[in-house]
Amino acid sequence: MSEADDRKRLAALRAEINQHNFRYYVLDRPTVPDAEYDALMRELEAIEAKHPDWITPDSPTQTVGAPPSHVFETVEHQVPMLSLDNAFDADEFTAFDRRVRERLGRDEPITYLAEPKFDGLAISLTYEGGVLARAATRGDGRRGEDVTDNVRTIETVPYSIDLPVDSRIEIRGEVVMTHESFAEINRRAERRGEKVFANPRNAAAGSLRQKDPKVTASRPLHFFAYGIGAAEGIEAPETQSGWLDWFERLGFVVAEHRDRVEGLEAAQAFHASLGEKRAGLAFDIDGVVFKVDSLADQQRLGFVARAPRWAIAWKFPAEEKLTQVRDVEFQVGRTGALTPVARVEPVAVGGVTVANVTLHNMDEIERKDVRVGDWVRVRRAGDVIPEIIEVLPEKRPPDARKIELPDSCPECGSEVLRDEEQAVARCTGGLFCPAQRREAIRHFASRKAMDIDGLGEKWITLFLERELVEHVDDLFRLNRDDLVALPRMGAKSADNLLDSLEKAKETTLGRFLYALGIREVGEVTAESLARHFRDLDALMAASEEELQTVEDVGPVVARHVRAFFQQPHNREVIDGLLAAGIHWPTPEGPADDAPLAGKTFVITGTLPDMTRDEASDRLTALGAKVTGSVSKKTTALVAGEAGGSKLDKAEKLGVPVLDAEAFARLLENPSTLDTDR
């Protein structure tokens, strides 16, 4: 670049960085990830290194933070709150260590205090005579904002500490928010229709800089002490680690993951070790801070314009980056849920290249207003799937397009349904859809469905891999030769499985309907449908209005049942099952004069003479309805041994409880039911 180009770029960089500083330190709404900001600063530093006579006192390389806002009173720091220089790899940290040893005139290894670099808001606490007198933000390093009333609401900030009456001390540290608290605050904001925070750092800063301390008090913040400003009237320790031990004795929280490390290799090992723990920590950290431990050596090393020469922040690979959404595809999960996945311009995040980012569901897309073509902030923490945490609308291109939910499944072409009250959209081709095959077969074979003994997930996976089974009806076309040829499938196991498949052909219409895996159709609803229609063809031809005449079937269930049977692929599989020989006796209709018609029971615990499924079938045959949860409408609870929470709830609600003997009498003579209900 020419000198004119350098001057032009210098002015542009300074203006852009100052704007980012204002948004980060004053508005708590940064528009670029730290990695992007760091890249701009390094470009500015390179130009100023090339032209040192161009450096001015107001350059971002010579200043800290941004001027305080006018929302709070301004506070003068007795000792400036400086920033830290950064290292982004082992070579840069090695260069820092070499500079330290050269300035101190030493060849032997330097002892450093190593501690996490918390990603929060820097705060200075002033204690006079052991009592908290003032709390201030960093601001521009010389002047900050008085946030004393808000800081007093933080439980980990002691109101008073054991110090001499004539003492005065500034204790520096970071205010942060846990991942768990951050998620809860955003959930509450979503419920109220308010803007959510992009990350825990923004949430912590925004919570601390509230006009009303009651708002701050409602948000769980934590303070970690890590440094000192002015100190008068106390006996100072000789090391940085000594200060942290002293803070801890006074009642402050300090970093658990800290250590004194000697020399380069120990420092690099600590950085690597904490990097591995990073994803499992409760708080966000973005690197390790290394400080020369000896305070005498710190004094000899001194400061540059905006940072001490005796400390450096060795950053981890960035977990957040900016990239652009190129396209959006919908993936179908094993339960039919459609998950939108953004194809983004590949970018290195957290040490890996990210090209695909989950968008979770349509509600998430609509809430964040993500569009194809948008510039977005992408985050990856540890092994967590990368996600878009923020859209930058100011960078949206004119041709950006909205993301639409597909009408048909991208895997099988079946209709896609999305209930109004649910965020997840699902494919209705449950029996046919390739993406849902494993789950459809597993559910079909389960104990409360077709009860195919011996058909576990291991065999289902193997059948699909060997292409012996494509859909559930193919199970009944398995032959002995194919089975015994499989690894670890002996002749006896093959015969047992074939026997189970043969037994499963004789079932009930209710079990068969439940086995189909229709969305929202559980055991009770399946039984109600069977007893109402009594014929599969009649059920498959029923309209949504006709379906809603069945007990427990509302508009949502009716819509799912109708959509399922309207899919030609599902009908093909059902025809295949019937052709394989699956059959059932015609269910008895819901006779009004049935002994227990209109009664509702719940079964819990272990009965001595029958399983709970058998007990449920006996009650259903007498016209009763069996549900899974106790309510005020429950006629009685049948309680065997170890009844648990359902028994407790029944007693609390005053629901009659039948023990095994009373239940046996009821089945023998339903007229003995006397519940006063």
Side-chain angles (χ1 to χ4, degrees):
M1 293 176 66
S2 66
E3 185 170 307
D5 290 334
D6 279 347
R7 281 194 179 276
K8 186 176 179 180
R9 183 58 180 157
L10 180 83
L13 284 168
R14 286 177 175 175
E16 185 175 357
I17 291 170
N18 282 331
Q19 181 62 24
H20 289 318
N21 283 341
F22 179 74
R23 295 187 65 86
Y24 185 91
Y25 291 105
V26 179
L27 300 182
D28 301 319
R29 292 196 300 272
T31 54
V32 296
D34 288 352
E36 306 292 329
Y37 176 86
D38 290 338
L40 294 173
M41 280 292 288
R42 303 201 100 188
E43 186 180 356
L44 177 60
E45 288 168 353
I47 293 175
E48 291 183 346
K50 183 179 176 183
H51 305 283
D53 53 316
W54 292 0
I55 298 175
T56 59
D58 62 346
S59 171
T61 63
Q62 308 300 304
T63 59
V64 176
S69 73
H70 301 295
V71 176
F72 300 91
E73 290 187 17
T74 300
V75 171
E76 195 88 20
H77 297 302
Q78 189 172 346
V79 173
M81 290 185 72
L82 300 181
S83 185
L84 291 174
D85 285 335
N86 295 321
F88 293 94
D89 55 37
D91 289 342
E92 292 184 359
F93 182 78
T94 300
F96 162 77
D97 177 71
R98 184 183 64 252
R99 291 193 300 271
V100 168
R101 287 186 289 105
E102 287 175 351
R103 288 189 176 111
L104 292 175
R106 292 183 191 160
D107 292 327
E108 65 270 19
I110 301 295
T111 299
Y112 297 101
L113 171 67
E115 57 188 320
K117 184 180 180 299
F118 292 107
D119 194 8
L121 185 70
I123 292 291
S124 179
L125 309 177
T126 300
Y127 285 84
E128 296 178 351
V131 177
L132 178 63
R134 190 182 66 202
T137 63
R138 184 201 303 273
D140 62 5
R142 295 180 299 106
R143 297 170 300 121
E145 298 161 330
D146 189 331
V147 288
T148 308
D149 290 340
N150 291 350
V151 166
R152 283 185 175 133
T153 69
I154 301 175
E155 291 185 3
T156 49
V157 174
Y159 177 72
S160 62
I161 52 181
D162 185 17
L163 291 180
V165 176
D166 60 348
S167 66
R168 188 176 189 277
I169 187 169
E170 290 179 334
I171 296 176
R172 272 82 188 268
E174 201 91 354
V175 171
V176 297
M177 182 178 288
T178 66
H179 299 141
E180 184 178 352
S181 298
F182 167 69
E184 177 57 30
I185 283 175
N186 272 353
R187 279 194 292 270
R188 295 203 306 251
E190 286 179 6
R191 287 196 294 268
R192 293 193 295 262
E194 298 171 356
K195 181 177 174 61
V196 300
F197 291 104
N199 53 50
R201 189 268 167 198
N202 288 8
S207 299
L208 187 64
R209 300 174 74 252
Q210 292 286 324
K211 293 181 181 179
D212 185 357
K214 292 180 182 177
V215 177
T216 305
S218 70
R219 298 177 180 177
L221 299 174
H222 295 260
F223 175 77
F224 285 93
Y226 56 60
I228 203 79
E232 303 168 6
I234 64 168
E235 186 175 340
E238 296 181 353
T239 61
Q240 187 74 33
S241 56
W243 274 122
L244 266 66
D245 294 340
W246 186 73
F247 294 155
E248 198 166 32
R249 289 196 297 272
L250 287 175
F252 289 94
V253 178
V254 296
E256 175 188 358
H257 300 283
R258 70 185 194 277
D259 199 4
R260 294 174 76 248
V261 296
E262 188 172 343
L264 264 180
E265 289 188 8
Q268 291 170 348
F270 183 92
H271 184 273
S273 175
L274 192 57
E276 292 174 358
K277 297 183 179 81
R278 180 186 187 188
L281 299 179
F283 304 92
D284 271 353
I285 63 172
D286 57 5
V288 177
V289 175
F290 291 93
K291 300 173 184 175
V292 173
D293 196 38
S294 166
L295 297 183
D297 286 345
Q298 287 185 12
Q299 194 167 7
R300 287 180 61 194
L301 290 165
F303 303 83
V304 290
R306 64 190 297 272
R309 289 195 179 98
W310 42 265
I312 197 165
W314 185 356
K315 293 287 197 77
F316 292 132
E319 289 186 314
E320 293 183 9
K321 282 288 186 71
L322 288 185
T323 186
Q324 192 170 20
V325 178
R326 294 303 187 191
D327 199 6
V328 172
E329 298 177 3
F330 284 81
Q331 296 180 347
V332 185
R334 63 188 184 90
T335 61
L338 269 68
T339 301
V341 176
R343 308 301 184 194
V344 299
E345 195 67 30
V347 61
V349 187
V352 301
T353 300
V354 171
N356 303 317
V357 181
T358 181
L359 290 169
H360 299 292
N361 52 55
M362 289 304 297
D363 277 2
E364 186 80 353
I365 290 174
E366 291 159 9
R367 182 177 68 79
K368 293 180 177 175
D369 191 23
V370 184
R371 305 185 187 187
V372 175
D374 272 344
W375 283 90
V376 295
R377 194 198 308 246
V378 174
R379 179 177 176 83
R380 177 185 180 272
D383 295 327
V384 177
I385 299 171
E387 64 176 343
I388 290 172
I389 59 172
E390 190 176 26
V391 174
L392 276 62
E394 64 272 17
K395 293 173 70 75
R396 175 170 288 160
D399 60 347
R401 73 174 193 273
K402 288 195 172 184
I403 299 166
E404 303 289 343
L405 179 70
D407 295 326
S408 57
C409 172
E411 292 284 346
C412 70
S414 298
E415 182 184 2
V416 170
L417 287 184
R418 181 189 179 197
D419 295 334
E420 291 182 4
E421 297 182 357
Q422 294 188 356
V424 178
R426 295 181 186 274
C427 163
T428 57
L431 291 181
F432 181 83
C433 183
Q436 302 178 64
R437 285 172 186 163
R438 181 177 284 102
E439 178 63 18
I441 296 172
R442 187 204 63 76
H443 174 76
F444 184 84
S446 63
R447 183 174 61 85
K448 293 184 178 181
M450 300 302 288
D451 194 19
I452 304 175
D453 189 37
L455 185 57
E457 196 154 347
K458 178 184 71 174
W459 294 121
I460 294 171
T461 300
L462 192 57
F463 292 162
L464 290 170
E465 289 175 351
R466 297 295 180 94
E467 298 183 350
L468 295 176
V469 171
E470 189 173 9
H471 307 300
V472 292
D473 55 323
D474 295 324
L475 291 170
F476 298 95
R477 286 187 277 275
L478 290 169
N479 62 65
R480 193 174 189 274
D481 290 342
D482 287 336
L483 292 177
V484 296
L486 295 173
R488 298 183 299 281
M489 173 71 86
K492 186 174 182 180
S493 296
D495 290 338
N496 289 341
L497 179 55
L498 292 172
D499 286 344
S500 294
L501 286 165
E502 192 62 34
K503 289 177 183 176
K505 292 179 181 179
E506 186 174 339
T507 186
T508 66
L509 178 56
R511 277 180 170 268
F512 181 76
L513 294 176
Y514 175 65
L516 296 180
I518 305 170
R519 186 78 184 152
E520 303 289 348
V521 176
E523 300 165 71
V524 174
T525 303
E527 198 60 47
S528 296
L529 289 168
R531 283 168 36 207
H532 182 91
F533 288 98
R534 305 181 67 198
D535 179 77
L536 180 60
D537 289 332
L539 171 59
M540 291 194 295
S543 65
E544 288 187 35
E545 291 76 15
E546 290 172 318
L547 288 165
Q548 289 183 58
T549 64
V550 180
E551 188 179 12
D552 293 330
V553 175
V556 173
V557 176
R559 184 180 179 215
H560 284 296
V561 173
R562 179 67 176 155
F564 182 89
F565 287 124
Q566 278 187 317
Q567 299 305 315
H569 300 317
N570 290 337
R571 297 287 286 264
E572 289 174 15
V573 176
I574 291 171
D575 288 343
L577 290 168
L578 298 178
I582 291 180
H583 62 282
W584 52 81
T586 301
E588 294 184 8
D592 293 334
D593 58 352
L596 297 179
K599 306 295 184 183
T600 302
F601 291 82
V602 175
I603 305 171
T604 187
T606 303
L607 296 167
D609 300 322
M610 65 185 78
T611 66
R612 281 196 280 185
D613 286 344
E614 290 170 341
S616 178
D617 291 342
R618 295 284 298 275
L619 286 168
T620 302
L622 293 169
K625 173 184 170 185
V626 180
T627 65
S629 58
V630 177
S631 71
K632 291 182 178 180
K633 295 181 180 180
T634 302
T635 303
L637 173 72
V638 178
E641 291 185 13
S645 60
K646 291 180 182 178
L647 180 57
D648 294 338
K649 188 172 182 180
E651 291 172 346
K652 184 177 179 180
L653 295 175
V655 172
V657 177
L658 304 178
D659 61 16
E661 291 183 11
F663 181 54
R665 288 196 299 271
L666 172 69
L667 295 179
E668 187 174 338
N669 184 5
S671 63
T672 61
L673 180 66
D674 182 13
T675 61
D676 295 325
R677 296 178 73 78

